[in-house]
Amino acid sequence: MLSRTSVLVLFIIFQTLTLYAADAPAQAIQPKDKLVQKVEVLTSKRQIQAWQKLSILLQTKYAYRDQHNIDWQYLCDMMMSDVEGVTTRKQMISDMRWLLAQARDLHLSIINHDQRISTSTSFVEDNSNISWIIDTLSDVRKHKNIVSGITIEGYGYIYVPSLSGNIKQQVNAFYQAVEHVKDTPGVFLDLRVNGGGDELMARGMAGCFIKGKLPYAKNISVDPSSKSGFTPVFTRWFKHDVSGPYYDKPVVVLMGQRCMSSCEALLLMMRAAPNATLLGDRSRGSSGNPRRYELMNGLFVVLPSWQAMTLDGECFEGVGIEPDVYVASRPEEFRNYDPVYEAAVVHMMNRLESEEDVVVTDAVSDE
């Protein structure tokens, strides 16, 4: 005879199996059209057509096709030679993702039925402790996702986490932040977690720190009709909007390896601004102005369409933008502190003191 304990164990097992069996049919029974949509099969002909399109696009429309020393035609031909019979759409996308990942390009991606699929990830250590900084500020104000405040030393602080959203609203929010700190002797512009967004937004923000109009960057774009495959070098400019504020005192821009894409354009604008200093770590080095191209119904590849350059004409893809003042730091230093911010405070104090030491006197007449 079974013991009470054995009976109880058998009962629990029976109940578990019963529940599992009851759930299984409910999970398995689905409308036929949903099953077809989830597991879409592709003939070898459709696969090869998609690979052929991808091969041509990578060789004619991908701005950084020569940057990585990759033979794209060879890779695509290799993938086409492996096509045998039917396969699922999901598997083909997986294969394409593997191929595109060889470039390690953060702007290179796939879109499948409006779902963006990245082909490369790149983890970088954060060199900031924004919450710690904000806790030390006084008169903290929030303008959309932008934060402004006054530091202990009496300087202004503006935190811009991204360049995404409605351009007009975000630029106006930045104007409000600049107005808030306009009477301070110097401002910190913190961009260290900014991964980019819209370069037009960046121009509107950077225009607050210059008068008139200034060049800040160059680029070449893909042009399959030209002999080189690219357009002539184009210079990009930004200008001051007379409807916005103007801040003409020292600005220290805090930057790091999370800064990429349009944020790197903003860094170049601030480098062109006469009173700004870039401080921190180098940026990510990833700017693409991406465009999408159809491979088959609902499936697109997204390719960078330009090579972004500094004003000196240097392509910084995979290299990044170097700060004017480099601040070395370790991840553990940011747990209860922000050494980059503290270095920025010291730099600002030294700069303002040196400006005070410059004494302007009237010219002495020879008569």
Side-chain angles (χ1 to χ4, degrees), residues 74-114:
Y74 171 79
L75 285 179
C76 289
D77 287 347
M78 180 184 72
M79 301 304 290
M80 280 187 279
S81 67
D82 287 341
V83 171
E84 294 181 2
V86 299
T87 191
T88 64
R89 184 186 186 100
K90 181 178 179 181
Q91 181 58 53
M92 189 181 73
I93 291 173
S94 177
D95 293 339
M96 287 184 172
R97 185 173 183 269
W98 172 86
L99 182 141
L100 297 174
Q102 308 309 307
R104 299 182 180 180
D105 187 335
L106 296 171
H107 284 91
L108 197 57
S109 62
I110 298 169
I111 296 178
N112 181 43
H113 296 305
D114 297 325

Side-chain angles (χ1 to χ4, degrees), residues 52 78 233 288 331:
Q52 287 173 337
M78 180 184 72
V233 176

Side-chain angles (χ1 to χ4, degrees), residues 244-262:
Y246 171 56
Y247 189 89
D248 62 350
K249 286 162 279 191
V251 182
V252 177
V253 182
L254 281 64
M255 59 182 286
Q257 293 189 36
R258 292 181 65 181
C259 298
M260 61 175 282
S261 196
S262 294

Side-chain angles (χ1 to χ4, degrees), residues 51-69:
W51 282 112
Q52 287 173 337
K53 286 184 180 180
L54 181 61
S55 178
I56 294 171
L57 288 169
L58 285 169
Q59 294 174 77
T60 60
K61 299 290 188 179
Y62 181 31
Y64 298 113
R65 57 180 176 261
D66 301 321
Q67 297 288 108
H68 313 290
N69 197 26

Side-chain angles (χ1 to χ4, degrees), residues 17 26 39 48 78 131 190 202 204 288 318 341:
L17 291 173
V39 187
I48 290 174
M78 180 184 72
S131 59
D190 202 335
Y341 171 73

